[in-house]
C-alpha cells in the first residue's frame, strides 16, 4: 500500500490523466508496501547493459516488450483503441464529439475551435493552394513559437502576417485619419 496517497496527486492536465487515475486507484488497493522509484528512460542507449540498475533493466525490458506487442497487434482488434469511457476514479472528462481528450487538451480544443477559420484566412490572404498549405510543417513552426517569450511570439506573428506598423501600414493609417476632425 502506498504510505501517503496525497503524495501521488495527479494534475488534470497530465497526459493520459484518466489512465493514471485508474492506475493510482489500483495501486492504492494493493495490500503491499510500494516504494515508487523514478527511472530515466533509454539509459541503455548510453550505458552498458551490465552497468544498468535492476530498475533500469526492467524499464528497458518493459519498453521492448510493449513495442513488440504493439507492432504485432497493430491494426487488429487487440490494438489499443481510444475510449470515451469515463472511469470511476476520473470524476469528469472532456469530450470532443465522440472522442475523449486525454492529452494535449488545450491544443485540441483550440484547433477544433479556430482551425478551420485560421486555415481559410491563411489560404485567402496568401492565395495558397490546399496542397501548399498541407506541405507547410506547422508543428515545427509551433515548436519554435512555443520557445519564444510572449512579446517575441507576438512580434514574430505580426512580422509573419505583415501586421507591424511599417511605412506602408502607417501610411494607410494616416490616409484614413487625414480627414478626421473633432
Amino acid at each position: 500500500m502506498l504510505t501517503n496517497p496525497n503524495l501521488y496527486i495527479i494534475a488534470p492536465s497530465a497526459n493520459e490523466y484518466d489512465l493514471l487515475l485508474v492506475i493510482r486507484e489500483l495501486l492504492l488497493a494493493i495490500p503491499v508496501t510500494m516504494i515508487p522509484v523514478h527511472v530515466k528512460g533509454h539509459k541503455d542507449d548510453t550505458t552498458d547493459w551490465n552497468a544498468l540498475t535492476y530498475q533500469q533493466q526492467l524499464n528497458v525490458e518493459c519498453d521492448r516488450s510493449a513495442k513488440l506487442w504493439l507492432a504485432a497487434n497493430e491494426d487488429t482488434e487487440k490494438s489499443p483503441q481510444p475510449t470515451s469511457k469515463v472511469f470511476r476514479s476520473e470524476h469528469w472528462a472532456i469530450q470532443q464529439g465522440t472522442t475523449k481528450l486525454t492529452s494535449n487538451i488545450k491544443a485540441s480544443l483550440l484547433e477544433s475551435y479556430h482551425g478551420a477559420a485560421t486555415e481559410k484566412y491563411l489560404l485567402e490572404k496568401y492565395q495558397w493552394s490546399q496542397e501548399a498549405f498541407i506541405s507547410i510543417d506547422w508543428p515545427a513552426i509551433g515548436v519554435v513559437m512555443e520557445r519564444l517569450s510572449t512579446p517575441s511570439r507576438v512580434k514574430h506573428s505580426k512580422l509573419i502576417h505583415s501586421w507591424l506598423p511599417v511605412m506602408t501600414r502607417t501610411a494607410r493609417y494616416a490616409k484614413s485619419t487625414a480627414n478626421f476632425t473633432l
Side-chain angles (χ1 to χ4, degrees), residues 133-167:
F133 183 84
I134 291 170
S135 70
I136 297 171
D137 191 355
W138 296 109
I141 294 170
V143 167
V144 170
M145 293 297 269
E146 284 174 9
R147 291 181 181 168
L148 298 174
S149 66
T150 301
S152 290
R153 194 176 315 134
V154 168
K155 181 180 91 180
H156 283 80
S157 292
K158 287 180 176 182
L159 235 159
I160 289 168
H161 296 288
S162 301
W163 293 337
L164 286 175
V166 292
M167 254 340 208

Side-chain angles (χ1 to χ4, degrees), residues 80-179:
Q81 300 297 317
T83 181
S84 60
K85 179 181 179 182
V86 178
F87 299 105
R88 183 171 46 103
S89 54
E90 248 180 307
H91 304 294
W92 60 271
I94 296 176
Q95 290 206 223
Q96 183 179 22
T98 58
T99 304
K100 182 171 79 170
L101 300 179
T102 59
S103 59
N104 301 322
I105 293 171
K106 180 180 178 183
S108 298
L109 292 175
L110 287 172
E111 171 66 26
S112 172
Y113 189 76
H114 295 292
T118 302
E119 181 176 337
K120 182 178 182 248
Y121 168 79
L122 292 172
L123 288 172
E124 289 175 6
K125 177 175 174 71
Y126 298 108
Q127 299 175 346
W128 288 336
S129 67
Q130 190 66 37
E131 294 78 31
F133 183 84
I134 291 170
S135 70
I136 297 171
D137 191 355
W138 296 109
I141 294 170
V143 167
V144 170
M145 293 297 269
E146 284 174 9
R147 291 181 181 168
L148 298 174
S149 66
T150 301
S152 290
R153 194 176 315 134
V154 168
K155 181 180 91 180
H156 283 80
S157 292
K158 287 180 176 182
L159 235 159
I160 289 168
H161 296 288
S162 301
W163 293 337
L164 286 175
V166 292
M167 254 340 208
T168 55
R169 292 198 59 81
T170 53
R172 190 179 318 152
Y173 176 75
K175 286 179 189 173
S176 68
T177 59
N179 297 326

Side-chain angles (χ1 to χ4, degrees), residues 36-57:
V37 177
H38 176 78
V39 178
K40 288 186 178 179
H42 308 287
K43 290 296 283 182
D44 57 320
D45 292 344
T46 58
T47 308
D48 182 58
W49 178 261
N50 294 325
L52 296 174
T53 66
Y54 173 72
Q55 289 89 353
Q56 290 169 332
Q57 289 178 351

